Amino acid sequence: MRDPLSKKIKEIKPSGIRRFFDVANTMENVISLGVGEPDFDTPWHVREEGIYSLEKGRTFYTSNAGLYPLREEVSRYLNRRFALQYHPDEILITVGGSEAIDLAFRAMLDPGDEVIIPEPCFVSYAPCVSMAGGVPVDRKSVV
């Protein structure tokens, strides 16, 4: 039987930050900021909006780019805050920064493209480059 994991996935080393997170989770009175999580619960007004959305039946799939009204608001925000002009069709909503980085690499890299990754850096950059077919290059080896 074939191993269900690809060779590419098996070559990616586990994240040290994840190991740290797992160890910190076994300890009492420890606040782990290892995976970028805050040390407070989600504010009630955010939770209430989620509950409200569920009660209104907003449980459908959205466009791959995200809800259009949200992209319009992001466009207005970028213009108001940074004087940037982006049409909502040029904006992509993701569930977080890691997904956005992964999608960007997959959209831009061809197999074998080298990507210089300055360090220190976020732990997922090199694996995201590899999974997109690129070759992560440590900045130290370029200098």
Side-chain angles (χ1 to χ4, degrees):
M1 175 184 226
R2 180 189 175 279
D3 187 335
L5 297 177
S6 73
K7 292 175 189 169
K8 186 184 295 188
I9 290 298
K10 291 195 301 190
E11 289 173 0
I12 295 174
K13 294 177 181 144
S15 164
I17 201 167
R18 276 288 170 190
R19 284 193 304 272
F20 174 81
F21 177 76
D22 291 341
V23 169
N25 266 350
T26 66
M27 304 169 80
E28 290 189 34
N29 298 318
V30 171
I31 297 172
S32 171
L33 301 177
V35 292
E37 292 182 347
D39 64 343
F40 55 86
D41 290 336
T42 303
W44 263 110
H45 72 280
V46 175
R47 290 189 255 173
E48 287 171 344
E49 186 61 33
I51 293 166
Y52 177 74
S53 292
L54 291 171
E55 289 174 344
K56 290 293 183 185
R58 296 183 186 148
T59 57
F60 50 85
Y61 286 109
T62 67
S63 156
N64 286 349
L67 293 170
Y68 197 80
L70 177 57
R71 291 185 283 142
E72 287 177 315
E73 184 54 37
V74 170
S75 174
R76 287 190 291 274
Y77 171 79
L78 291 172
N79 184 267
R80 189 172 60 247
R81 181 83 163 91
F82 304 107
L84 295 171
Q85 298 280 335
Y86 286 99
H87 188 275
D89 290 340
E90 297 175 289
I91 294 171
L92 173 70
I93 305 298
T94 67
V95 296
S98 292
E99 181 189 12
I101 291 164
D102 182 48
L103 290 172
F105 286 150
R106 289 175 192 262
M108 294 186 297
L109 296 179
D110 287 319
D113 282 354
E114 293 185 342
V115 178
I116 298 172
I117 302 177
E119 292 183 352
C121 68
F122 185 59
V123 297
S124 73
Y125 292 167
C128 283
V129 168
S130 296
M131 290 190 311
V135 178
V137 177
D138 185 319
R139 181 183 64 108
K140 291 176 260 181
S141 65
V142 176
V143 178

